[in-house]
Amino acid sequence: MPRARHQNGERHRSSRGGWLRAAVMGADDGVVSTASVMLGVAAASSSPLAVLVAGVAGLVAGAASMAAGEFVSVSSQGDAERADIAREKQELASDPAGELRELAGIYRRRGLDAELARQVAEQLTAKSELDAHLRDELGIQAATRARPLQAALVSAASFASLATLPIAAQLVVPAAWRTAAIVGTALLSLALLGGLGGHLGGAPVLRAATRAVAGGGFAMAVTALVGRLLGVVVGG
């Protein structure tokens, strides 16, 4: 995935948007949903095997669901982009002079005077009229185009990788500490994940980490409470 660069060599983070969003969303969902399911089953006083099976099932189902959801969602975005590109090609072929005026108008609204705006529009049109209109009229650029398969694979892989952590805690920690280990592993993972996402996205690391921990902790607490209540009701 190419990284956007300014001409002076500065790196920009906008080109990371597609895969970073999918990776962070998948990883966050992986650890939160898997740990929450395991805690909910554990709170219902089920056997350790049931907790483990619930975690593995949550991993498989969640990774598949994330991949399918990302693929469908990003494919829809790609369909919209292709439709816009096809329409723009048709307009350029049928009315090039009108499209040139439209492009110059965009630059005037951005602060250029009329003469300079037209010169810029003419030069960019001579270089690549379609690219100029896609970028400046529609906001479509190669670095940010929809990539459904990439989003699906990244999302599924990140989900599965983080979902293994609470499962590993269930397997390696003594029985008396398993619940605490699942919670601790999940919260630590969320803190690291939130901080990393904030760093890569250029946001304050502490704020991003706190947000991830708070959201994940709430989800786990609610699921554990529901599991406990169901255990009491169903178990008598």
Side-chain angles (χ1 to χ4, degrees), residues 1 12 22 27-28 40 48 57 66 69 74 99 106 108 110 113 115 129 131 137 146 151 177 185 200 219 225:
M1 183 70 182
H12 296 276
D28 188 273
M66 288 293 294
V74 180
E99 290 298 299
I106 292 172
R108 287 199 304 274
R110 292 180 181 178
D113 61 54
E115 181 60 28
E129 60 180 356
D131 286 346
E137 180 183 347
W177 297 96
T185 299
L200 293 176
L225 176 60

Side-chain angles (χ1 to χ4, degrees), residues 111 130 132 142 207:
L130 179 60
R207 185 176 67 187

Side-chain angles (χ1 to χ4, degrees), residues 133-161:
H133 281 270
L134 292 182
R135 180 183 60 249
D136 295 325
E137 180 183 347
L138 302 177
I140 298 176
Q141 302 185 59
T144 57
R145 289 285 302 274
R147 293 174 173 82
L149 184 58
Q150 180 194 63
L153 293 176
V154 169
S155 183
S158 58
F159 184 102
S161 64

Side-chain angles (χ1 to χ4, degrees), residues 103-119:
L103 194 61
I106 292 172
Y107 300 141
R108 287 199 304 274
R109 289 192 292 272
R110 292 180 181 178
L112 300 183
D113 61 54
E115 181 60 28
L116 181 57
R118 183 167 183 85
Q119 291 177 7

Side-chain angles (χ1 to χ4, degrees), residues 8-213:
N8 63 10
E10 294 180 354
R11 293 185 178 181
H12 296 276
R13 297 179 172 88
S14 59
S15 61
R16 297 171 174 169
W19 67 263
L20 178 60
R21 181 188 65 84
V24 171
M25 182 184 301
D28 188 273
D29 273 4
V31 67
V32 170
S33 62
T34 303
S36 295
V37 167
M38 294 175 73
L39 291 172
V41 174
S45 300
S46 298
S47 68
L49 179 59
V51 175
L52 180 61
V53 170
V56 174
L59 184 156
V60 175
S65 176
M66 288 293 294
E70 282 292 320
F71 186 82
V72 171
S73 174
V74 180
S75 292
S76 297
Q77 178 187 342
D79 292 340
E81 288 178 351
R82 285 188 290 274
D84 283 342
I85 292 171
R87 185 181 304 110
E88 195 63 32
K89 287 180 178 179
Q90 182 179 9
E91 291 174 352
L92 286 169
S94 61
D95 186 15
E99 290 298 299
L100 180 63
R101 289 193 298 271
E102 182 179 25
L103 194 61
I106 292 172
Y107 300 141
R108 287 199 304 274
R109 289 192 292 272
R110 292 180 181 178
L112 300 183
D113 61 54
E115 181 60 28
L116 181 57
R118 183 167 183 85
Q119 291 177 7
V120 171
E122 289 174 344
Q123 291 184 28
L124 292 178
T125 295
K127 182 177 182 181
S128 176
E129 60 180 356
L130 179 60
D131 286 346
H133 281 270
L134 292 182
R135 180 183 60 249
D136 295 325
E137 180 183 347
L138 302 177
I140 298 176
Q141 302 185 59
T144 57
R145 289 285 302 274
R147 293 174 173 82
L149 184 58
Q150 180 194 63
L153 293 176
V154 169
S155 183
S158 58
F159 184 102
S161 64
L162 269 292
T164 59
L165 296 180
I167 295 174
Q170 172 73 11
L171 289 172
V172 303
V173 175
W177 297 96
R178 283 173 182 164
T179 298
I182 292 172
V183 173
T185 299
L187 293 179
L188 178 60
S189 300
L190 288 170
L192 294 174
L193 177 65
L196 177 61
H199 172 71
L200 293 176
V205 171
L206 181 59
R207 185 176 67 187
T210 302
R211 182 172 55 208
V213 169

